[in-house]
Amino acid sequence: MNIKEIEIKNLRCLINKKIEFYKNTNIIYGENGSGKTSILEGIHILCYSKSFRPSKKNNIITKKQNSMLIKGVFTTDIKKQIKIKHTRVALEKKITLNNKKIKKTSELIGSIPCVVLSPEDIDVVSGPNNNKIKYIDKILSTCSAKYLKNLIEFKNTLKQRNRLLKTTHTKTELDVWCEKMATPAINIWKERLVFFKEYQNKVQEEYNNINIKGKVEIVYKTQTKPTKQSFIKKSNKNLTKDIKLKQTTLGPHKDVIEMFWDNKDMRNDASQGEKKLFLIALKKTEAMYFYKKTNKKPVVLL
């Protein structure tokens, strides 16, 4: 997958910018604050409809402007063109894929696999567990439309159940939402379990390729077995805690992911250099995984 050209209007400091890219590797250079990262951000928005930067930096439209435009043309290995257009006017967002308007962002995900290695990504290794969950969700959603569908269904159901927990409710009402959560939750768990078995081995291979000794271990923990019976049983057990906390404490959003290198906890015990090395291995594995699962070479943004 190659970027042929991109046009950006009113993205941060980029007022009106059009760039044509060469096939394969491109280097963008310029002074600090000239918009280099914003160009990469624009590419990522075309691929996933959102920035890779933290949410607090997501006010991306140029100051004193109320609209933004990003257009891009990508080419596949078989010289097929993919055209994406992303526009925002105030809070309204519109996306077209090959000149056809798409109704949901999920229709875009997977069209252009994209891997980002940015300073903020170190939080995948050293940040809270939620960052690891988001990282895995992005990979699996890019490669599997089924996973993305289950993830959207689970999150929507979770939102409804949490809203109910914050208001007057009965156990029967909570049980209804628990039943609705069970199927997508179980499907997510099953895909994650298969993923982690393969992914850990691939990360280990990347360590071996760069001649780094030691055993890589990615530990994935769920609260219960991926069956409906186990889910309902555990959910009933957690009910008192859910009501007290006013939030759902069972589901894929509460899974735990731990990363180790030679029994060293990467989050708490590793040096900054070790964390960066682990992150690079993760990102390289991510790119290779995308290629294997989608048969598309991903766009890699460094």
Side-chain angles (χ1 to χ4, degrees), residues 3-26:
I3 310 169
K4 186 177 181 182
E5 62 183 40
I6 187 171
E7 181 180 350
I8 299 173
K9 294 182 179 179
N10 297 334
L11 171 59
R12 301 197 192 275
C13 65
L14 301 174
I15 307 301
N16 193 348
K17 193 78 173 177
K18 187 172 182 179
I19 305 173
E20 293 184 1
F21 292 91
Y22 290 96
K23 189 176 181 180
N24 298 324
T25 304
N26 290 265

Side-chain angles (χ1 to χ4, degrees), residues 122-256:
I122 196 66
D123 281 348
V124 173
V125 178
S126 60
N129 188 69
N130 188 46
N131 291 349
K132 297 177 179 64
I133 296 293
K134 287 180 180 178
Y135 172 67
I136 299 306
D137 280 344
K138 179 187 175 183
I139 296 174
L140 284 168
S141 295
T142 300
C143 297
S144 170
K146 178 184 174 185
Y147 184 89
L148 179 57
K149 181 181 177 182
N150 281 307
L151 185 64
I152 292 170
E153 184 181 348
F154 174 78
K155 285 185 175 181
N156 288 338
T157 309
L158 177 66
K159 191 181 296 183
Q160 294 292 338
R161 190 173 189 270
N162 284 343
R163 188 176 294 148
L164 185 62
L165 282 165
K166 291 177 173 66
T167 61
T168 304
H169 56 263
T170 64
K171 184 179 183 303
T172 302
E173 289 173 322
L174 291 174
D175 287 345
V176 169
W177 287 109
C178 177
E179 286 274 349
K180 288 187 175 182
M181 285 175 57
T183 299
I186 291 163
N187 289 335
I188 289 168
W189 278 330
K190 286 180 178 179
E191 287 208 55
R192 283 184 183 175
L193 287 166
V194 173
F195 167 81
F196 278 107
K197 286 181 181 178
E198 181 178 2
Y199 207 68
Q200 173 172 306
N201 292 334
K202 295 299 181 184
V203 176
Q204 182 70 69
E205 286 178 17
E206 290 305 324
Y207 260 74
N208 296 340
N209 288 340
I210 54 180
N211 202 25
I212 302 296
K213 296 180 180 179
K215 181 183 177 183
V216 172
E217 189 176 9
I218 302 176
V219 179
Y220 172 56
K221 300 176 182 177
T222 64
Q223 294 182 47
T224 185
K225 295 178 181 179
T227 65
K228 188 170 184 178
Q229 183 180 2
S230 296
F231 185 91
I232 300 297
K233 184 179 179 180
K234 183 67 175 179
S235 181
N236 286 332
K237 188 176 180 180
N238 285 14
L239 187 59
T240 302
K241 181 168 44 172
D242 288 0
I243 293 171
K244 182 179 179 180
L245 297 176
K246 297 184 178 180
Q247 61 174 287
T248 304
T249 57
L250 174 67
H253 63 301
K254 293 295 184 180
D255 290 349
V256 174

Side-chain angles (χ1 to χ4, degrees), residues 52-65:
F52 57 77
R53 303 176 81 178
S55 56
K56 64 183 178 181
K57 297 182 181 179
N58 260 342
N59 186 18
I60 58 178
I61 299 178
T62 304
K63 290 181 180 179
K64 298 182 180 179
Q65 301 293 327

Side-chain angles (χ1 to χ4, degrees), residues 68-84:
M68 180 189 74
L69 165 70
I70 309 173
K71 293 196 295 185
V73 179
F74 300 81
T75 57
T76 66
D77 291 341
I78 57 174
K79 297 182 179 180
K80 178 184 176 183
Q81 285 195 351
I82 299 175
K83 298 179 181 179
I84 303 174

